[in-house]
Amino acid sequence: MKYDLVIIGAGPGGIFSCYEASRLDPSLKIAVLEAGNPLEKRKCPIDGVRIKSCINCPSCAIMNGFGGAGAFSDGKYNITNDFGGTLYEHIGKKDALDLMRYVDEINVKFGGEGTKMYSTSGTHIKKLCMQNKLNLLDASVRHLGTDINYVVLENLYAKLKEKVEFRFNCHIDRLEMKEDGYRVVTKDGEDECEKCIVSVGRSGSKW
């Protein structure tokens, strides 16, 4: 199949890349290829009774699938350049923070309204740290919570699947560069695209 854009990985990087590309140009033919399951099929078999430890499922429900490794986390989104990544080294601190705030606006729009934003600035802890020659890293933190985090992902998927082709349980064997784009090779065949975003996240970092 021929696409304008193929995104490898349906974690946060892949999801927001997909969201922004389809928003900026709704005519784009986009495919998202994900090694794990759709959100509703991500179920870890460990129940503490019958199954007490990892049984090495073909696709880890905790690490892989729509939403990525943080899908079942407590939904804390940090807005800061002080920790969590080095994006600011590539685009500048202001633009990096602006993008983080933009992502926060999308999370709020898709179900996160009413959740709290916390900040370290102007707090008594900040003052106390300064008095004791300690450096408190500055950050604003949106706390969605596990349940709302899941709802936001559900709503994002419902919106994106109207325009985008999602293929789950799709393991990428090889990515090849061509003169006019890329060839993505999977167990099911080959796809070609003009642009390709590799966003394999934590579980695919070795790949």
Side-chain angles (χ1 to χ4, degrees):
M1 192 74 74
K2 180 77 173 178
Y3 298 94
D4 297 306
L5 171 64
V6 167
I7 299 171
I8 301 174
I15 291 169
F16 286 104
S17 295
C18 178
Y19 176 90
E20 192 67 358
S22 61
R23 184 188 72 83
L24 292 172
D25 188 351
S27 69
L28 287 177
K29 187 174 183 181
I30 303 173
V32 178
L33 312 182
E34 165 58 45
N37 287 312
L39 189 62
E40 71 275 9
K41 291 184 179 180
R42 292 183 63 176
K43 301 281 191 264
C44 179
I46 298 175
D47 58 10
V49 181
R50 289 187 309 108
I51 301 175
K52 297 183 179 181
S53 61
C54 180
I55 58 172
N56 296 311
C57 297
S59 174
C60 177
I62 300 301
M63 297 296 291
N64 300 327
F66 188 86
F72 301 106
S73 70
D74 58 355
K76 288 191 179 78
Y77 288 80
N78 299 312
I79 301 175
T80 181
N81 286 315
D82 282 0
F83 57 88
T86 56
L87 178 63
Y88 67 91
E89 292 181 359
H90 304 279
I91 65 173
K93 290 189 174 182
K94 181 184 181 302
D95 285 348
L97 286 174
D98 286 345
L99 280 176
M100 293 177 214
R101 293 188 185 103
Y102 176 50
V103 168
D104 180 62
E105 289 172 7
I106 296 170
N107 282 334
V108 169
K109 176 182 176 182
F110 281 89
E113 66 276 2
T115 56
K116 290 186 177 181
M117 177 76 85
Y118 299 91
S119 176
T120 58
S121 63
T123 62
H124 72 283
I125 296 175
K126 177 86 172 178
K127 183 179 179 181
L128 186 63
C129 286
M130 291 176 67
Q131 289 171 343
N132 289 276
K133 298 180 180 179
L134 295 172
N135 179 33
L136 179 65
L137 299 177
D138 285 322
S140 295
V141 183
R142 171 76 62 186
H143 186 197
L144 295 176
T146 305
D147 294 340
I148 299 300
N149 193 43
Y150 191 92
V151 169
V152 170
L153 290 171
E154 278 186 319
N155 292 338
L156 276 167
Y157 179 62
K159 174 71 174 177
L160 292 174
K161 72 178 182 178
E162 297 173 359
K163 305 176 183 178
V164 176
E165 178 185 342
F166 282 88
R167 270 192 256 159
F168 295 100
N169 296 299
C170 183
H171 178 78
I172 310 301
D173 294 324
R174 196 164 67 254
L175 178 62
E176 301 172 353
M177 183 179 287
K178 301 174 56 198
E179 287 187 7
D180 59 347
Y182 301 88
R183 180 183 292 113
V184 185
V185 182
T186 71
K187 62 179 176 61
D188 299 318
E190 298 179 357
D191 297 289
E192 295 186 355
C193 55
E194 183 179 339
K195 302 289 184 182
C196 183
I197 296 174
V198 179
S199 183
V200 293
R202 187 183 302 169
S203 63
S205 58
K206 289 183 181 179
W207 182 84

